[in-house]
Amino acid sequence: MKKFLFSRNFLLLSLFLFSVAVSSQTVKGKVIDLDGNALPFFNVVEKNTNNGTTTDDQGEFSINMSKIPSTLVISLLGYETTEKLVTSTNYLVIEAMESSETLQETIIVGSRNKSRTAVDTPVPVDIINVAELTRNSPQVNLNQILNYVAPSFSSNTQTISDGTDHIDPASLRGLGPDQVLVLVNGKRRHTSSLVNVNGTFGRGSVGTDLNAIPAASIKSIQVLRDGAAAQYGSDAIAGVINIILNNKVNELNLSVTSGAHVSKNSQEQQGGIDGETVNISANYGIALGDKGGYINFTGDFDYRDPYSRMSEFKGQIFSGYNSVEWVANNSGLDLANLSLDDIRFASQGVTHFDLATKNAINNATDLTTIQSLLNFDTTEAELDVRGLNRSDFNMRVGQSGVRGGRFFANMSLPLDDNGTEFYSFSGFSSRTGNSAGFYRLPYQSRTYTPLYINGFLPEINSKIIDKSIAVGIRSKAGDWDVDFSNTWGTNSFNFEISNTSNASLLSASPTRFDAGGFSFTQNTTNLDFVNNYEDIFNGLNVAVGAEYRAEFYDIVAGEEESYTQYDANGLPVTPTTTASTDFFGSSRPGGSQVFPGFTPKNALGRDRNSFAAYIDLEAELTDKLLVSGAARFENYSDFGSTINYKLASRYKVNDNLNLRAGASTGFRAPSLHQRYYNAIATQFIAGVPSEVGTFTNDSDIAQQLGIPSLKEEESASVSFGFAGKIPSANLKITADAYFVAIEDRVILTDRFNIPDGIVTNAEAAAFFANAIDTESMGLDIVVTHKFDLNESMRLSSDLSATFSKTRRVDDIHSSQVLVDSGQESSYFSEASRIYLEEAVPRTKVNLSNTLSTDRFNVFLRNVYFGEVTEASNNVASQQVYGAKLVTDLSVGFKATEELTFTVGANNIFDIYPDRTDSTNSNFSSGRFEWSRRSQQFGIGGRFLFARLNFILN
């Protein structure tokens, strides 16, 4: 009996433990398409529960089932929902089928039809898988990722260009940085507060700081390569970049990337390692509720060391007086108060002065004579005396240093079963940058040698803060989808100048200055309605909506010493006093060297608002013909209203070939930065104050010169092309030609002298003005191919190319006053023409190959960058820099299901642009051996990196 009871109890216990084990088990699997391709981002949910996960970049998932047997529901927008009965813990392979409307990835830019895809749109849209690129490619910031993968996109790190060293200007189809609109999750993103005013591509424009968005927070990027102002409003002349944020849940993704330039020209062309970088990022999402809600968080930190590619300075460094100063300093004399006797005494100790020079100085009885005797170049001899090399006086020509952190969040919370959804996304970015200007040499009047006896390299330190938040609710009103949202964003840019001086303050000068800065804030409220009438034609999609936007721009003054010129007594210069001078009698400039601060006269706060309403129609007239049209009215409080239109069509020749075309008008409102940016310095000439700098477009001097108020840029564009595929060859091809004409483009003029007869205290001025008309044309080609070498090895290839050309047409819209004074060439100069037409590659071709296996991944990319031209007003110095081919290579190894190692290189063959001809003025005595004004792919050379990626479900 006891034996029976023991057996029964043992059996019951075993059944209980077995049921517990089976009722909560981990099930792993993979979701693939009908061709066997892995499908990432799929929702995998245990039916009738809120227990779920998503597939990773390899299409794989792992889920703890509450019980077995149970059913998994696999879904993603654009695919048929699939249910899979799970009866064991065996590895699952689940096929997902594209829905009947879907040819490729569903898109939300360029069309408000929720079923529209990238292949069947009437205009070209590129879909970029950022997760794959951040896993394989060397680049970690968004600008550089796009620069190497999207041929029509251009962006490069700038050098010796003040604030532009810290925010890279970017463009689409060769147009300006402010002629491409950036959206995040379909909502307008604010621009940077920085206006590019120095000698770089995009001079005079205001772009969006894409590097404020961490790449790890991004699911994909959709690039609309067509004018879309009639759909989205101002700025969308070249196209739209729509950033889709990550919505993964229950997966922790950690990534650490470290690298450096290992190049023949590293360490001031001595070879070695420099420009070290580190990026650490983390992404994690949490499921909210039981209806598919989520909140996804991303944080990252990056650090980038500066590098320089200057070899050595070849110009003058020291004068005879500097040689005397060196001896006087070593003799214990006060350099700030050298008397004539001190100078005579010290000159006798200068070993490289000949006897005649020493005797002449010793016998001189007045300052003027001694000045003439000491005003000669002693550089070579003085370098030997001081034990210095010419390279000790180099600038930092190359990459600025950056340190920053970013945080982004993206959430969605369904509120009922009828489609009501609350959503929000937000971001915060804080970056500090460090770049340098021209070396201040000892012989120059802007160098106060008692403070810096060997001169100094002034540094610009930036503090860039970027904040944004969007909140909205989507719901139903009858058959209409309703979306109400508010998006707020702000960007501030502040300058701190260090290792510098205000030369006019002499020994009393600080060496660090708060130079002020600027900020820009934008708040956008949208109300959108969408309805799809399936019974009209073969489907009619109707979208209507309205937008209200408020913008605010501020300039903040720096501290007094950062902008003021002082007399010898340390008091601000007035009409009755003169500035302090150097030994040779030259006035010492005021303000912080390299970047004078903004003055109280520059400081301002301006705002404006705009209202827009639009209608967007898209009709499937037949099984083959799609037609879409849009119209948008927009009114700005500062310049008036505009109406723009767009018409596009797609004709389906067969299941594998679509023809498409579009035509539109567009506009770009002049930014508040362009209307109100000003940086004016006051100089006293013979006791008379005069102002020099960039004046606002509405200033008194602008009106006297006949420069009209800024108005909107207007555009007209057409495009046509095709999208096709060859299923048997796994090949997809798109080709699109375009033409864009823009009237009244806003440019920043060169500085010109004020003509006679104008009553003003301004001496020289530059302005923002609607100065030119342009035409841009080009061809974009994209080819993708996939080939399975065997059941576990796939080769994916992507070929993309852009061929573009932009040129100024018609006359310069100059004021008659400047025409009469012969200064029209300063209104839109030769250098400005090259920035517009030839400073970035007009041809770019990208071939990427990815070989994938279960454990290894090999990524090979070749990018052809076309020629560029040196931006110079001197035609003889407009050197053409030839085309180059840059190769990237990386190898990834999946050590475990959670851990992947990747090593590789950007520019593995250490390719550089052509060197500047040393006879050209652009060479600048050895400062710029490569162009600083016209960029192809940077001058960093080979970059080696290693990456560790850890994924935990």
Side-chain angles (χ1 to χ4, degrees):
M1 183 68 178
K2 290 182 178 179
K3 184 176 181 180
F4 171 76
L5 289 174
F6 174 80
S7 299
R8 185 190 67 179
N9 292 339
F10 178 80
L11 179 60
L12 291 173
L13 178 61
S14 298
L15 290 172
F16 173 77
L17 292 175
F18 177 78
S19 66
V20 169
V22 172
S23 66
S24 179
Q25 292 286 346
T26 299
V27 174
K28 295 184 178 182
K30 186 173 185 177
V31 179
I32 60 174
D33 64 16
L34 298 182
D35 295 325
N37 304 317
L39 296 175
F41 313 127
F42 265 70
N43 300 308
V44 181
V45 180
E46 186 175 359
K47 191 173 183 178
N48 298 323
T49 74
N50 60 1
N51 179 33
T53 186
T54 59
T55 59
D56 62 17
D57 298 336
Q58 306 299 319
E60 296 184 314
F61 66 88
S62 176
I63 184 171
N64 293 320
M65 304 286 289
S66 62
K67 62 180 180 178
I68 293 179
S70 187
T71 300
L72 289 179
V73 180
I74 296 89
S75 64
L76 183 69
L77 183 66
Y79 286 80
E80 302 288 353
T81 299
T82 302
E83 293 191 1
K84 180 73 173 180
L85 178 64
V86 180
T87 58
S88 70
T89 58
N90 293 338
Y91 190 84
L92 301 174
V93 177
I94 303 170
E95 287 188 342
M97 182 182 298
E98 292 180 325
S99 62
S100 58
E101 302 94 353
T102 303
L103 295 177
Q104 201 182 31
E105 182 170 347
T106 302
I107 60 115
I108 63 171
V109 64
S111 172
R112 290 184 167 90
N113 187 333
K114 293 183 178 181
S115 65
R116 190 62 52 221
T117 65
V119 169
D120 66 1
T121 58
V123 290
V125 178
D126 297 324
I127 308 296
I128 298 171
N129 185 337
V130 175
E132 179 181 345
L133 290 170
T134 55
R135 184 174 63 247
N136 298 327
S137 71
Q139 294 78 25
V140 294
N141 73 61
L142 192 50
N143 264 322
Q144 286 305 300
I145 287 173
L146 289 173
N147 190 44
Y148 275 84
V149 73
S152 58
F153 181 93
S154 292
S155 177
N156 279 295
T157 300
Q158 306 297 317
T159 185
I160 317 298
S161 53
D162 294 348
T164 310
D165 282 13
H166 307 266
I167 296 181
D168 305 334
S171 72
L172 198 64
R173 286 186 160 179
L175 296 177
D178 49 9
Q179 289 163 334
V180 56
L181 175 63
V182 177
L183 309 176
V184 176
N185 283 352
K187 307 299 180 183
R188 176 183 284 264
R189 183 164 174 82
H190 61 281
T191 64
S192 166
S193 58
L194 175 74
V195 57
N196 300 306
V197 295
N198 278 282
T200 67
F201 168 76
R203 182 175 183 267
S205 66
V206 180
T208 301
D209 185 7
L210 293 176
N211 289 340
I213 305 174
S217 71
I218 301 172
K219 176 180 177 180
S220 66
I221 297 176
Q222 302 171 354
V223 181
L224 168 62
R225 292 180 279 111
D226 197 61
Q231 295 168 290
Y232 300 102
S234 178
D235 305 346
I237 290 177
V240 179
I241 296 174
N242 186 28
I243 297 168
I244 308 300
L245 297 178
N246 211 330
N247 60 358
K248 284 186 177 181
V249 297
N250 300 327
E251 178 182 285
L252 176 64
N253 192 320
L254 297 173
S255 179
V256 179
T257 303
S258 181
H261 289 277
V262 183
S263 172
K264 60 192 174 189
N265 291 315
S266 291
Q267 299 292 342
E268 297 181 331
Q269 301 187 37
Q270 299 302 305
I273 301 174
D274 61 9
E276 291 85 351
T277 67
V278 175
N279 178 271
I280 302 171
S281 68
N283 177 271
Y284 185 71
I286 302 170
L288 299 178
D290 57 0
K291 297 180 176 66
Y294 61 86
I295 183 166
N296 183 277
F297 301 101
T298 303
D300 87 342
F301 167 81
D302 60 7
Y303 173 82
R304 183 181 81 184
D305 265 345
Y307 67 70
S308 178
R309 293 293 176 265
M310 182 177 174
S311 175
E312 65 174 20
F313 179 63
K314 304 182 187 303
Q316 181 181 352
I317 299 172
F318 299 106
S319 69
Y321 181 68
N322 297 135
S323 300
V324 170
E325 284 184 310
W326 182 255
V327 174
N329 186 64
N330 291 335
S331 301
L333 298 176
D334 182 3
L335 296 187
N337 296 288
L338 290 180
S339 65
L340 291 182
D341 287 338
D342 291 336
I343 294 172
R344 295 188 191 98
F345 165 76
S347 67
Q348 306 309 303
V350 179
T351 57
H352 52 80
F353 281 1
D354 58 31
L355 183 60
T357 300
K358 290 180 180 180
N359 289 337
I361 295 171
N362 197 47
N363 294 328
T365 59
D366 61 88
L367 176 62
T368 301
T369 302
I370 292 179
Q371 287 173 336
S372 64
L373 290 170
L374 292 177
N375 192 12
F376 67 98
D377 187 349
T378 62
T379 298
E380 297 301 334
E382 194 64 20
L383 286 171
D384 289 338
V385 169
R386 302 192 187 195
L388 299 174
N389 300 308
R390 283 188 169 274
S391 60
D392 293 322
F393 299 86
N394 282 356
M395 298 159 52
R396 191 190 304 159
V397 181
Q399 175 177 276
S400 61
V402 173
R403 179 192 297 267
R406 294 165 290 193
F407 177 82
F408 254 69
N410 181 35
M411 68 91 66
S412 171
L413 180 63
L415 301 179
D416 58 28
D417 295 325
N418 299 318
T420 303
E421 170 198 10
F422 172 78
Y423 63 90
S424 179
F425 53 91
S426 62
F428 175 81
S429 168
S430 175
R431 301 205 310 277
T432 57
N434 174 271
S435 63
F438 282 78
Y439 197 100
R440 268 49 180 173
L441 300 164
Y443 84 95
Q444 296 171 329
S445 64
R446 57 185 181 177
T447 301
Y448 184 62
T449 46
L451 194 61
Y452 295 104
I453 196 167
N454 287 318
F456 60 98
L457 183 66
E459 297 181 341
I460 299 174
N461 303 281
S462 63
K463 178 70 171 179
I464 307 169
I465 301 292
D466 195 284
K467 295 178 282 188
S468 63
I469 184 170
V471 294
I473 188 164
R474 298 186 183 98
S475 188
K476 284 279 190 179
D479 293 331
W480 290 83
D481 294 322
V482 183
D483 186 349
F484 178 69
S485 65
N486 191 84
T487 306
W488 175 89
T490 186
N491 179 277
S492 63
F493 196 120
N494 293 294
F495 294 89
E496 186 177 77
I497 314 305
S498 62
N499 194 47
T500 187
S501 76
N502 181 328
S504 67
L505 266 176
L506 309 177
S507 298
S509 173
T511 58
R512 181 177 289 266
F513 299 83
D514 175 5
F518 25 70
S519 66
F520 176 72
T521 301
Q522 176 180 285
N523 191 81
T524 307
T525 304
N526 292 94
L527 179 61
D528 302 289
F529 299 85
V530 180
N531 195 356
N532 190 276
Y533 297 93
E534 296 181 356
D535 55 347
I536 300 180
F537 305 117
N538 281 13
L540 172 65
N541 197 81
V542 179
V544 295
E547 176 181 283
Y548 177 80
R549 187 164 74 250
E551 298 175 337
F552 307 86
Y553 178 65
D554 295 279
I555 297 178
V556 179
E559 60 183 300
E560 180 183 292
E561 293 86 351
S562 73
Y563 57 79
T564 303
Q565 187 179 34
Y566 294 89
D567 62 21
N569 298 316
L571 298 174
V573 173
T574 69
T576 60
T577 61
T578 58
S580 57
T581 61
D582 68 359
F583 171 74
F584 294 102
S586 298
S587 293
R588 294 193 181 274
S592 47
Q593 281 296 306
V594 78
F595 189 95
F598 292 102
T599 72
K601 287 185 178 180
N602 302 144
L604 52 76
R606 297 290 187 269
D607 63 84
R608 72 177 177 195
N609 59 77
S610 65
F611 170 79
Y614 72 87
I615 181 170
D616 192 334
L617 305 175
E618 185 176 284
E620 295 271 6
L621 297 181
T622 69
D623 291 338
K624 293 182 176 294
L625 182 61
L626 166 74
V627 176
S628 68
R632 185 181 181 103
F633 167 82
E634 198 140 357
N635 181 268
Y636 280 76
S637 61
D638 57 348
F639 74 81
S641 61
T642 178
I643 300 177
N644 292 278
Y645 310 91
K646 181 169 185 175
L647 181 66
S649 180
R650 183 223 68 217
Y651 181 75
K652 183 181 292 186
V653 178
N654 54 47
D655 289 341
N656 298 321
L657 179 62
N658 291 331
L659 304 180
R660 58 195 185 190
S664 65
T665 63
F667 81 106
R668 189 190 70 81
S671 67
L672 285 177
H673 319 52
Q674 293 171 325
R675 291 185 67 85
Y676 299 113
Y677 174 84
N678 69 106
I680 305 165
T682 301
Q683 302 174 347
F684 288 87
I685 301 174
V688 178
S690 64
E691 294 181 329
V692 176
T694 301
F695 292 76
T696 61
N697 178 263
D698 64 349
S699 62
D700 177 69
I701 181 60
Q703 294 176 27
Q704 289 195 61
L705 290 171
I707 297 174
S709 296
L710 287 179
K711 59 183 179 180
E712 75 274 21
E713 300 174 350
E714 297 181 335
S715 70
S717 64
V718 294
S719 66
F720 59 91
F722 71 88
K725 61 179 181 177
I726 306 174
S728 60
N730 284 327
L731 189 68
K732 298 176 182 178
I733 305 172
T734 69
D736 295 275
Y738 64 89
F739 174 83
V740 183
I742 305 176
E743 292 184 352
D744 299 320
R745 283 186 70 160
V746 177
I747 60 105
L748 175 61
T749 70
D750 283 11
R751 188 176 295 178
F752 46 80
N753 296 322
I754 304 302
D756 294 337
I758 302 295
V759 181
T760 178
N761 61 347
E763 180 71 18
F767 304 91
F768 287 92
N770 297 96
I772 58 172
D773 302 333
T774 65
E775 291 179 351
S776 300
M777 61 191 72
L779 174 67
D780 295 331
I781 300 173
V782 179
V783 181
T784 62
H785 178 254
K786 295 180 180 179
F787 178 68
D788 291 323
L789 300 173
N790 56 46
E791 62 182 13
S792 62
M793 184 178 294
R794 161 166 287 197
L795 176 64
S796 300
S797 301
D798 298 279
L799 173 67
S800 54
T802 188
F803 308 92
S804 65
K805 181 179 181 179
T806 295
R807 65 189 183 97
R808 179 182 68 83
V809 295
D810 300 328
D811 295 332
I812 299 172
H813 308 325
S814 177
S815 96
Q816 191 60 45
V817 175
L818 296 176
V819 172
D820 294 342
S821 66
Q823 298 190 80
E824 188 176 43
S825 62
S826 295
Y827 206 73
F828 184 72
S829 66
E830 261 295 293
S832 295
R833 180 192 65 80
I834 293 175
Y835 288 134
L836 173 76
E837 299 179 355
E838 303 173 24
V840 296
R842 289 156 290 175
T843 299
K844 192 161 73 166
V845 182
N846 178 320
L847 176 60
S848 299
N849 306 99
T850 304
L851 181 66
S852 303
T853 69
D854 293 339
R855 302 295 295 275
F856 286 94
N857 186 83
V858 180
F859 176 75
L860 174 66
R861 177 170 59 201
N862 287 279
V863 183
Y864 173 90
F865 294 91
E867 66 181 27
V868 296
T869 304
E870 179 70 38
S872 173
N873 287 325
N874 181 356
V875 176
S877 296
Q878 292 174 0
Q879 180 178 345
V880 176
Y881 302 99
K884 301 293 178 180
L885 183 67
V886 175
T887 302
D888 296 348
L889 176 66
S890 70
V891 178
F893 172 65
K894 192 173 184 179
T896 68
E897 291 298 318
E898 296 81 18
L899 190 62
T900 301
F901 296 96
T902 304
V903 295
N906 164 233
N907 195 358
I908 192 169
F909 298 118
D910 205 18
I911 301 298
Y912 278 79
D914 294 341
R915 288 180 183 262
T916 300
D917 188 335
S918 61
T919 62
N920 282 348
S921 59
N922 310 316
F923 188 67
S924 187
S925 299
R927 293 184 177 98
F928 304 114
E929 296 193 51
W930 292 276
S931 175
R932 73 178 177 118
R933 296 187 178 97
S934 301
Q935 295 281 339
Q936 291 166 292
F937 51 88
I939 57 172
R942 182 191 298 113
F943 179 83
L944 303 182
F945 78 98
R947 178 175 296 129
L948 183 151
N949 189 254
F950 180 75
I951 298 176
L952 182 63
N953 292 306

